[in-house]
Amino acid sequence: MYLSVATTHQPATDLGYLLHKHPDRLHEADLAFGKAYLFYPQATAERCEMALVLDIDPVTLVRGRGVKGGLQDQYVNDRPYAASSFLSVALARTLRTAMAGNSKDRPELAHSTLPLEARVVPLPARGGEPLVRQLFEPLGWSVGVEPVIGPGGTSSRYVSLRLSGDARLSELLNHLYVLIPVLDDEKHYWVGDDEIAKLLERGAGWLEQHPAQELIVTRYLVHRRTLTRAALLSSLRRIIDAAIGAGPGPNFPSR
């Protein structure tokens, strides 16, 4: 599986400053389930592209070290190959500063709207192309979806996703962080109360107004009703606080 992000902002190699990863180097990160590799297939003044590739260790999945499922993962499955919550974890691990919208060397650029392109392959889409568009188009992205054909020309639930539009880089990364596991409708790790804080942090500024908010929250929290209800209440509180100018208030308790 891989994720790529590209820009035609001039000079495009400024993308390296925003990602805090030099375009001339291969960057590696150890994860609980394998390794993440970040590199630049293209780095010119006209166009710069970053690619994040995961190498998931299937032995780790079988042993269940840091991964939900344990013994059930010894059977054939798509986890080592399909974009999922593994990719979201890799994003947070390798691009945390970029996701926060910070850049020491280009702070003004980190808060600027840039022409961006993103691609995710292969992406499980439980709901097909209509759901992909339902999730990304309200956020201002132009969406391209191509089906991934299975063996013998059969259809599959996997797609190749392309996004393009003008936005801050941090917005794109946070949209992908939240919505990739939402489309997969599964997570590889146990989901507890701390996931509410992650969702509200990564969804700040867009999730509150998203027309598919309830679906996003429900799937992100793996259909756990108590967590979903708490997250929706917290999101509503933020909207109310913003409307009255009081600033963000404390989250509602999840229990």
Side-chain angles (χ1 to χ4, degrees):
M1 79 190 76
Y2 78 89
L3 159 70
S4 68
V5 174
T7 186
T8 53
H9 162 82
Q10 303 292 306
T13 48
D14 277 352
L15 182 64
Y17 290 105
L18 299 183
L19 296 173
H20 298 264
K21 299 291 186 292
H22 197 286
D24 292 338
R25 300 173 187 165
L26 170 66
H27 306 269
E28 301 180 17
D30 291 321
L31 306 169
F33 44 80
K35 272 196 170 186
Y37 298 92
L38 189 150
F39 59 95
Y40 292 77
Q42 183 180 8
T44 67
E46 293 72 31
R47 187 177 188 275
C48 188
E49 180 183 15
M50 173 278 295
L52 178 63
V53 178
L54 295 194
D55 182 13
I56 294 179
D57 181 3
V59 175
T60 297
L61 298 186
V62 171
R63 292 175 178 173
R65 288 167 34 205
V67 179
K68 186 185 75 172
L71 292 178
Q72 70 180 8
D73 287 314
Q74 66 184 295
Y75 301 102
V76 176
N77 59 72
D78 66 353
R79 297 301 85 183
Y81 315 108
S84 64
S85 56
F86 288 113
L87 185 54
S88 291
V89 170
L91 270 173
R93 173 70 173 80
T94 60
L95 300 174
R96 181 176 299 277
T97 303
M99 292 178 70
N102 299 323
S103 174
K104 178 181 177 181
D105 297 305
R106 296 290 191 276
E108 73 291 340
L109 193 60
H111 295 92
S112 299
T113 297
L114 306 176
L116 297 171
E117 305 170 6
R119 188 179 182 194
V120 184
V121 181
L123 175 62
R126 300 178 192 268
E129 181 175 347
L131 181 58
V132 177
R133 295 189 178 278
Q134 181 185 358
L135 295 180
F136 284 103
E137 287 182 344
L139 298 172
W141 297 108
S142 295
V143 179
V145 181
E146 297 179 7
V148 175
I149 305 303
T154 58
S155 60
S156 73
R157 63 185 179 91
Y158 305 97
V159 301
S160 172
L161 171 65
R162 291 182 181 271
L163 303 175
S164 61
D166 296 331
R168 297 193 302 273
L169 177 63
S170 58
E171 292 176 325
L172 171 60
L173 296 177
N174 283 299
H175 293 166
L176 291 169
Y177 176 91
V178 172
L179 297 180
I180 285 173
V182 167
L183 282 165
D184 186 29
D185 202 16
E186 185 177 348
K187 284 195 172 179
H188 73 272
Y189 56 86
W190 173 254
V191 172
D193 292 352
D194 60 328
E195 287 297 294
I196 297 176
K198 293 180 186 177
L199 175 60
L200 295 179
E201 177 187 1
R202 302 304 180 189
W206 62 271
L207 181 58
E208 298 92 339
Q209 292 81 31
H210 199 293
Q213 180 198 43
E214 185 170 351
L215 181 147
I216 293 170
V217 172
T218 299
R219 283 193 171 201
Y220 184 88
L221 298 172
V222 295
H223 302 268
R224 293 191 62 188
R225 293 182 180 179
T226 302
L227 298 181
T228 298
R229 183 169 58 252
L232 290 172
L233 286 172
S234 295
S235 182
L236 177 60
R237 178 63 179 272
R238 287 189 173 194
I239 294 174
I240 294 173
D241 286 340
I244 64 177
N251 290 338
F252 281 74
S254 60
R255 291 286 186 269

